[in-house]
Amino acid sequence: MNEQVLRRRIERHCAASIRALSARPEAEFRAQRLLLNERTFNLRTPHLSVDVINHPLVRARGVADAMALRLVHSDAAMHRAMSPNGTIARIVFDVLEQVRVECLAPADLPGMRRNLQQGFDLWCLEARGTGLTENEVGLMVFSVTHIVRSRLRNEMLDEDVDQLVESTRYRLAPIVGVELSKLRAARFDQREYAPLALKIAQTAGEFCDRDEDGDDAGDAAVVSRYRMLLPPTDEDITDGALHASGILGVSASGEVENTSDYHVFTREFDQETNGEVLFRQSQREAMREQLDQMIAAQAISVPRLALRLQRLFSIPRADSWNFGQEEGYLDGRRLTQLAANSAYRQVFKQVRETPHTNLVVSFLIDNSGSMKRQRFEAVAVLVDIFARALELAGAKTEILGFTTRAWSGGQAFKAWRAHGEPAQPGRTNERLHIVYKDSDTSWRRSRHSIASLMNPQHFREGLDGEALEWAAQRLRQTDADRRALVMISDGAPMDSTTLNVNDKGFLDRHLYHVAQSIERRGDIELRAIGIGLDMGEFFRRSIALDLTGTLGNRAFSALEQLYSPTPPKDLI
């Protein structure tokens, strides 16, 4: 299974667990972050940092359960208001609050307790193996975590860990011994617990500040040290120094910021073409016949679907009058009839409104190689039927595709090598954008071009963020009152050469930021259809479709589910 697909699948399971346990439907989990309403919920707790691919699955389960408990048992506003100054003090204060809520795991959920314990144990092994405890800062945080956790749970420490934290305990006990002794009794009340935790955190921070006063390793060493303690997305480390790594940032208001780290090594070999030039006419005619046969097998009434889409997208517009009405606006031309017959009442007129659909819908289809396994024929059938129905409903449509011109980079990758293989070069493949149908061409004239979707010979890799920008730019150039953009993908931006020479989140971050930018601008109604996978991590409104076998009611109601204020109850 593709690594990106597997990563998203595990993250979706974690998010589902967090939502179920915390009763917070707005909660999401992606890129090692907990999000509420698309805003990062900052957690500065080291043992909540997890790579869902490279760490054991139980570690991810433990982190998800821990995050859910934080949402249930901790008042975020209170915690934020009492959070101390100083990076290490804030880390320790967050750790103490996290271990408090974890000790409140219900006794009737033994699976949760087991996940929390196993996940924490795995973090301990990793922390010691990666050298976290080999400097004073790391050892302080590691030790305080274990000391407080053992007190809250009334448990003995492992012998090896006990020896490791003994020096830190010896330093802290004379100053915060009283606070440590009161923690367990206060664990059920955050308001009572927080002042105790604050004193411990401030003391730990002061010790670390003293230890670092004589450290001339420089800012880079300090950043590296903190990087080992926290998830890579925390915003507070050294005044944002870690954002230079290109990870998503969060503004002071909580809004996700675009770090604008996406760049392209060369655009010299990029190409935009149309579906008619991909294959010979005889091939396209054969593919069109095959597509028509598959559409006929669906037994779908296109006119009926068109009426439903017209109701969904049309806006009533006054275009004439209904005369001879018994109420409404007085019609002066009929007053003579009223004078001749005082019983005559049909002397009024009313505004007549007819449905008006000044709309362009753009379908942006992932033409990456992974879509070959995800029923690309079914996607072609679905989009072709939607294009016909929308045209009957009075709307215009575009059908676009995106892929790359080559596997493994092609000429762009060779150019990068010829220039000495500079680090972090950005996109190093040749982009290919395809127009199967533009908004000014009717479905009938485009039907053979659309049929090129039936042959995946040109399906290679996917640069989703750039394709989304391209489709949005085309839409903005159309003359329409309303613009809708539907991305159809298996949810996995993937270009092997680009990811091999940049960091793993390079393509994902770009897609996320492009989608957020379009939605914030508000001139395009952006939605997504995930083929076998949920696209919710990138788009606010999305659905997942299973396109195996004959297309069902859910597939043909996709636009209604995406664009209706509430999903339709009556399907085809």
Side-chain angles (χ1 to χ4, degrees), residues 96 99 143-152 180 183 193:
L96 298 189
V99 295
S143 300
V144 171
T145 302
H146 281 81
I147 292 169
V148 172
R149 192 173 186 273
S150 67
R151 285 182 175 270
L152 292 176
L180 286 169
L183 285 177
Y193 178 91

Side-chain angles (χ1 to χ4, degrees), residues 64-312:
D65 290 348
M67 289 179 173
L69 288 171
R70 182 67 170 268
L71 294 178
V72 172
H73 295 294
S74 182
D75 185 325
M78 182 191 304
H79 182 77
R80 186 167 52 251
M82 297 195 67
S83 185
N85 296 323
T87 300
I88 296 303
R90 288 199 298 272
I91 293 173
V92 173
F93 187 67
D94 201 80
V95 166
L96 298 189
E97 177 63 7
Q98 186 61 45
V99 295
R100 180 187 77 85
V101 300
E102 289 179 24
C103 81
L104 301 180
D108 59 350
L109 294 178
M112 173 187 282
R113 290 191 163 194
R114 183 168 58 252
N115 291 340
L116 292 171
Q117 184 63 52
Q118 292 179 353
F120 184 80
D121 290 344
L122 288 170
W123 171 78
C124 293
L125 291 173
E126 180 188 22
R128 295 162 67 182
T130 55
L132 176 65
T133 59
E134 294 176 4
N135 64 74
E136 292 298 328
V137 173
L139 181 60
M140 176 61 72
V141 175
F142 183 88
S143 300
V144 171
T145 302
H146 281 81
I147 292 169
V148 172
R149 192 173 186 273
S150 67
R151 285 182 175 270
L152 292 176
R153 293 171 174 268
N154 198 24
E155 297 174 346
M156 298 291 291
L157 287 174
D158 175 85
E159 183 177 348
D160 292 338
V161 173
D162 190 61
Q163 293 178 2
L164 188 61
V165 307
E166 179 59 31
S167 61
T168 304
R169 182 163 47 205
Y170 179 79
R171 297 175 70 187
L172 290 174
I175 303 175
V176 293
V178 174
E179 284 76 11
L180 286 169
S181 67
K182 293 180 179 180
L183 285 177
R184 178 170 169 79
R187 68 189 186 278
F188 296 107
D189 187 344
Q190 183 181 357
R191 193 174 299 278
E192 181 182 353
Y193 178 91
L196 305 175
L198 179 61
K199 178 64 181 298
I200 297 170
Q202 290 172 330
T203 302
E206 290 171 1
F207 276 128
C208 291
D209 290 341
R210 294 174 198 167
D211 293 334
E212 289 186 349
D213 283 344
D215 190 346
D216 59 357
D219 291 342
V222 175
V223 171
S224 177
R225 185 177 303 168
Y226 292 165
R227 195 188 295 274
M228 297 175 67
L229 291 172
L230 290 170
T233 51
D234 191 87
E235 78 213 42
D236 293 325
I237 297 303
T238 62
D239 297 324
L242 295 186
H243 289 314
S245 65
I247 301 297
L248 289 174
V250 180
S251 67
S253 64
E255 292 290 343
V256 178
E257 296 175 334
N258 190 341
T259 56
S260 301
D261 67 336
Y262 188 83
H263 52 286
V264 179
F265 182 73
T266 178
R267 299 183 185 273
E268 180 181 356
F269 309 104
D270 293 352
Q271 181 179 351
E272 180 178 325
T273 186
N274 59 71
E276 292 183 348
V277 305
L278 293 175
F279 305 100
R280 296 191 305 273
Q281 182 176 349
S282 59
Q283 291 178 295
R284 287 186 281 111
E285 289 175 352
M287 288 186 288
R288 184 67 237 183
E289 184 177 352
Q290 180 186 1
L291 179 57
D292 288 339
Q293 291 174 354
M294 295 181 67
I295 291 173
Q298 303 302 317
I300 178 72
S301 171
V302 175
R304 183 180 175 189
L305 177 60
L307 288 174
R308 288 168 42 198
L309 294 178
Q310 186 180 57
R311 289 195 296 267
L312 176 66

Side-chain angles (χ1 to χ4, degrees), residues 221-489:
V222 175
V223 171
S224 177
R225 185 177 303 168
Y226 292 165
R227 195 188 295 274
M228 297 175 67
L229 291 172
L230 290 170
T233 51
D234 191 87
E235 78 213 42
D236 293 325
I237 297 303
T238 62
D239 297 324
L242 295 186
H243 289 314
S245 65
I247 301 297
L248 289 174
V250 180
S251 67
S253 64
E255 292 290 343
V256 178
E257 296 175 334
N258 190 341
T259 56
S260 301
D261 67 336
Y262 188 83
H263 52 286
V264 179
F265 182 73
T266 178
R267 299 183 185 273
E268 180 181 356
F269 309 104
D270 293 352
Q271 181 179 351
E272 180 178 325
T273 186
N274 59 71
E276 292 183 348
V277 305
L278 293 175
F279 305 100
R280 296 191 305 273
Q281 182 176 349
S282 59
Q283 291 178 295
R284 287 186 281 111
E285 289 175 352
M287 288 186 288
R288 184 67 237 183
E289 184 177 352
Q290 180 186 1
L291 179 57
D292 288 339
Q293 291 174 354
M294 295 181 67
I295 291 173
Q298 303 302 317
I300 178 72
S301 171
V302 175
R304 183 180 175 189
L305 177 60
L307 288 174
R308 288 168 42 198
L309 294 178
Q310 186 180 57
R311 289 195 296 267
L312 176 66
F313 289 114
S314 65
I315 300 173
R317 184 175 67 176
D319 65 349
S320 185
W321 296 95
N322 288 321
F323 297 101
Q325 306 298 310
E326 293 188 357
E327 58 182 15
Y329 296 96
L330 184 65
D331 184 0
R333 295 176 302 175
R334 294 178 180 262
L335 291 179
T336 55
Q337 294 175 281
L338 178 62
N341 182 5
S342 59
Y344 186 74
R345 294 288 181 267
Q346 297 173 335
V347 293
F348 298 95
K349 61 182 180 180
Q350 296 177 354
V351 174
R352 184 174 66 189
E353 295 182 337
T354 57
H356 175 63
T357 311
N358 189 6
L359 164 77
V360 179
V361 180
S362 179
F363 295 97
L364 178 62
I365 305 172
D366 183 357
N367 288 172
S368 63
S370 58
M371 287 290 285
K372 296 178 183 179
R373 302 188 302 271
Q374 299 289 348
R375 300 291 295 175
F376 63 92
E377 297 111 328
V379 171
V381 169
L382 186 64
V383 170
D384 189 89
I385 290 175
F386 275 141
R388 291 169 59 192
L390 284 165
E391 191 170 300
L392 287 176
K396 294 183 177 181
T397 59
E398 279 204 331
I399 301 176
L400 310 174
F402 65 94
T403 181
T404 58
R405 293 183 62 193
W407 292 102
S408 303
Q411 298 179 76
F413 188 66
K414 292 177 182 178
W416 171 71
R417 283 187 164 176
H419 282 77
E421 301 185 2
Q424 299 294 317
R427 192 247 293 173
T428 52
N429 204 337
E430 308 166 26
R431 186 186 69 190
L432 176 61
H433 288 164
I434 306 162
V435 180
Y436 294 104
K437 178 188 179 302
D438 63 53
S439 60
D440 293 326
T441 305
S442 68
W443 169 84
R444 184 171 297 279
R445 291 179 58 191
S446 303
R447 56 196 303 271
H448 287 100
S449 177
I450 297 171
S452 296
L453 284 166
M454 295 292 290
N455 190 335
Q457 178 180 328
H458 58 289
F459 287 24
R460 295 183 182 90
E461 300 188 86
L463 302 165
D464 300 47
E466 286 193 62
L468 196 59
E469 284 183 316
W470 169 63
Q473 184 179 11
R474 288 181 59 90
L475 262 182
R476 292 187 179 110
Q477 294 172 351
T478 61
D479 182 18
D481 295 335
R482 188 175 179 185
R483 301 175 180 90
L485 175 54
V486 182
M487 188 170 191
I488 302 176
S489 174

